[in-house]
C-alpha cells in the first residue's frame, strides 16, 4: 500500500490453496478486486476462511484506516479469471508441467498489458515460460506463508522477461504493502528457499539421526537465532558476533569451524517410511492435538506482535509497516472520517481490548489506557493535518502533561469508543480531553486530559503552528463552543499529602 496509484485495479488468481488464498486476502484488504479460479469444490470456503483470518490479523496489526475492501469474484475458468485484469498470479501445485500449461493458457487469454506472475517456490522461470504468448510479461513473484502478513516477495525474471515487467510488478507488490526482493540470477530455489532448504535438510538429519526431536529442533530456533533473524538476518547478526572488529574477526574465529563436520548439508536423508512415521508422530506430539486453525491463529498473533514490535524500531519488516501506515493515513487524508457525536465532540478513535492488555486483576492494565489516549490524540493530530509531509518539515506536537482518571473496568474483547473535545488552543498550545466509553453499554471507562506544545524539532523548541493547522483548530473550537466543560477536566490528583495538617 505504498503508492495506491500503481496498485493493480484487479488481479486474476489461479489456484486458491494456502498461497492463492493468502494472495486473495492481501489484495482484497488492499482494496484490489480479485477474480479467482480453482477447480476444487472446497476452494471458496477455504478462501473465505483465509480472508477472515487476514481481516482479524490486520485489525490487530494497525489502527490505520484500510481502504474499502476489493470485491472477490469466483469464476469457473482460467479465461474468466484473467479477463480484464492487470496482474495474473498463478499459485497452482508445484508441478512444472501443470504450471507451464496453465501459464500458457493464462498468457493467451489475459489482456496484452497484463503481467503474468507465478508463485513457484523454486522452479526456473525460463522453463515455465516455455510456450507462453508474450513471455516478456512473465515473472516469478514468490511470496511467503501467510501471504497476507509477511511482506517479502521474491521477484525473478525469466530469460525473455522485459525489465519493464520487473519494474511494474515490483511497484504493484509494493502498493499492497509488500517488500519485493529482486533475485538477479535465475537459480533453483531463488534466495530464500535455498537458505530454508539448507536449514530444513539439516533439521531432517537431526531427527533422522535421533539427535533431536522435531520440537527440540524448533526450540533451538525460536528461543535464539529465530528472534535475531527477524531483525538482522544472518550476516548482520554475525557481524555483531565478531565484536568491534566485525566480520573479519568473526571469520577468523569461526571460519576454521567450516572445516569441521558441523553439517550434512549436501547429503539428503533418505525419506524412508520409518523417517516419515517418526516425523509425523513427533509433529503430532508437538502440536498436542491443537487443530491447524488454532495454530494459524497463534502464528498470526505472534507475527503481528513481531511486526508491531519492529515497527517501533523502524528496522527490517518494521520499516515496511511504518511506511504502509504512513501511506494509509495520508490516503485517508486529514478529513475527519466519522461524523461527530450528536453533542459535537469528535469520534476519531475506537479500539478493541486485546487479551494481552489484561492484567492479573482481569481488566485492562494501566498503561493501555494511556496507549488508547495517545492513539486518540494521534487521530486528532491527523485530523487537523499533522501528517507525513508536515512532520517531515520538522514540525509536530509533543505531549507535555497528561491526567488520566480510571473510572470503570474494560475487559478483553470490549470495544472502546473515544469522544474527543478540544478544551482550548492558541498558536503553540493544544488542550485536549478524551472520554473512553464501552460501546456495548456506554459505560464510562476513563477520561484523559492532555496538554500539547507545538514544536520545531530542528530548532529544538516550541514554535507557532502553521496557519492552516491553526485554522483547522479554530473550526473545531467553533463547532464545540457550546459544549460544557467536562466533569473532571482541570482536576489535580487529590489525596493525602506528607506533612499536610
Ligand atoms: N505453501 C507454501 O508455504 C508456499 C510458499 C510460497 C510459494 N508456494 C508455491 O505456491 C504454489 C501453491 O502452493 P500451495 O501451498 O498454495 O498449494 P496448495 O496445494 O495449498 O494449493 C494449490 C491449489 O491449486 C489448485 N489447483 C490445482 N490444479 C489447478 C489448476 N489447473 N488451475 C488452478 N488451480 C489449480 C488446487 O485445487 C489447490 O487449491 C506452489 O507453486 C508452491 O510452490 C507455496
Amino acid at each position: 500500500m505504498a503508492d495506491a496509484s500503481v496498485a493493480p485495479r484487479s488481479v486474476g488468481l489461479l489456484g486458491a490453496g494456502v498461497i492463492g488464498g493468502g494472495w486473495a486476502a492481501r489484495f482484497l484488504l488492499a482494496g484490489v478486486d480479485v477474480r479467482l479460479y480453482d477447480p476444487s469444490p472446497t476452494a471458496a470456503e477455504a478462501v473465505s476462511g483465509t480472508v477472515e483470518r487476514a481481516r482479524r490479523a490486520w485489525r490487530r496489526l494497525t489502527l490505520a484506516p484500510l481502504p474499502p475492501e476489493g470485491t472477490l469474484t469466483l469464476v469457473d475458468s482460467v479465461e474468466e479469471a484473467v479477463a480484464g485484469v492487470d496482474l495474473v498470479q498463478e499459485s497452482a501445485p508445484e508441478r512444472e508441467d501443470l504450471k507451464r500449461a496453465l501459464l500458457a493458457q493464462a498468457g493467451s487469454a489475459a489482456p496484452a498489458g497484463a503481467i503474468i506472475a507465478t508463485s513457484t517456490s523454486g522452479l526456473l522461470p525460463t522453463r515455465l515460460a516455455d510456450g507462453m504468448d508474450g513471455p516478456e510479461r512473465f515473472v516469478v513473484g514468490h511470496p511467503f506463508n501467510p501471504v497476507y502478513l509477511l511482506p517479502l516477495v521474491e521477484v525473478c525474471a525469466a530469460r525473455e522477461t522485459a525489465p519493464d515487467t520487473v519494474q511494474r510488478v515490483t511497484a504493484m507488490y509494493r502498493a499492497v504493502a509488500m517488500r519485493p526482493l529482486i533475485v538477479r540470477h535465475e537459480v533453483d530455489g531463488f534466495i530464500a528457499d535455498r537458505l530454508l532448504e539448507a536449514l530444513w535438510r539439516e533439521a531432517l538429519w537431526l531427527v533422522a539421526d535421533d539427535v533431536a526431536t522435531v520440537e527440540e529442533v524448533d526450540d533451538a530456533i525460536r528461543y535464539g537465532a529465530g528472534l535475531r533473524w527477524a531483525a538482522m538476518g544472518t550476516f548482520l547478526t554475525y557481524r555483531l558476533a565478531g565484536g568491534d572488529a566485525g566480520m573479519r574477526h568473526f571469520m577468523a574465529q569461526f571460519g576454521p569451524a567450516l572445516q569441521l563436520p558441523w553439517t550434512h548439508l549436501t547429503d539428503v536423508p533418505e525419506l524412508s517410511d520409518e523417517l516419515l512415521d517418526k516425523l509425523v508422530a513427533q509433529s503430532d506430539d508437538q502440536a498436542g492435538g491443537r487443530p491447524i486453525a488454532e495454530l494459524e491463529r497463534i502464528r498470526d498473533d505472534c507475527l503481528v506482535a513481531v511486526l508491531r514490535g519492529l515497527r517501533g524500531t523502524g528496522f527490517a519488516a518494521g520499516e515496511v509497516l511504518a511506511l504502509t501506515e504512513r501511506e494509509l493515513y495520508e490516503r485517508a487524508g486529514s478529513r475527519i472520517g466519522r461524523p461527530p457525536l450528536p453533542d459535537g465532540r469528535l469520534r476519531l478513535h475506537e479500539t478493541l481490548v486485546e487479551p494481552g492488555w489484561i492484567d492479573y486483576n482481569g481488566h485492562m492494565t494501566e498503561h493501555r489506557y494511556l496507549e488508547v489516549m495517545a492513539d486518540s490524540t494521534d487521530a486528532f493530530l491527523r485530523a487537523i493535518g499533522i501528517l507525513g509531509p508536515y512532520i517531515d518539515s520538522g514540525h509536530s506536537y509533543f505531549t507535555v502533561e497528561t491526567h488520566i482518571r480510571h473510572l470503570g473496568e474494560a475487559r478483553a474483547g470490549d470495544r472502546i469508543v473515544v469522544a474527543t473535545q478540544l478544551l482550548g488552543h492558541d498558536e503553540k498550545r493544544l488542550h485536549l480531553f478524551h472520554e473512553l466509553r464501552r460501546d456495548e453499554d456506554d459505560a464510562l471507562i476513563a477520561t484523559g486530559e492532555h496538554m500539547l506544545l507545538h514544536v520545531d524539532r530542528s530548532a529544538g523548541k516550541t514554535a507557532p503552528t502553521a496557519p492552516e493547522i491553526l485554522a483547522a483548530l479554530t473550526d473545531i473550537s467553533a463547532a464545540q463552543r457550546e459544549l460544557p466543560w467536562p466533569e473532571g477536566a482541570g482536576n489535580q490528583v487529590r489525596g493525602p499529602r506528607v506533612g499536610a495538617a
Side-chain angles (χ1 to χ4, degrees), residues 78-89:
V78 174
E79 285 71 18
E80 287 172 273
V82 305
V85 301
D86 296 327
L87 170 69
V88 175
Q89 184 80 41

Side-chain angles (χ1 to χ4, degrees), residues 206-290:
L206 288 166
V207 178
D209 291 347
D210 283 326
V211 174
T213 63
V214 297
E215 182 154 11
E216 286 163 347
V217 169
D218 284 353
D219 287 351
I221 295 168
R222 61 197 183 144
Y223 291 111
L227 291 169
R228 297 189 305 216
W229 276 330
M232 301 236 153
T234 282
F235 282 107
L236 206 46
T237 293
Y238 284 161
R239 181 182 179 80
L240 298 184
D244 283 342
M247 190 50 101
R248 193 167 292 283
H249 178 66
F250 176 78
M251 291 307 287
Q253 206 175 357
F254 293 102
L258 294 173
Q259 306 300 328
L260 300 176
W262 276 13
T263 168
H264 285 286
L265 218 51
T266 54
D267 287 344
V268 186
E270 188 201 336
L271 289 185
S272 61
D273 288 347
E274 189 195 347
L275 177 56
L276 277 179
D277 289 346
K278 184 174 5 173
L279 287 170
V280 171
Q282 289 187 4
S283 178
D284 288 349
D285 277 354
Q286 183 187 26
R290 283 175 296 196

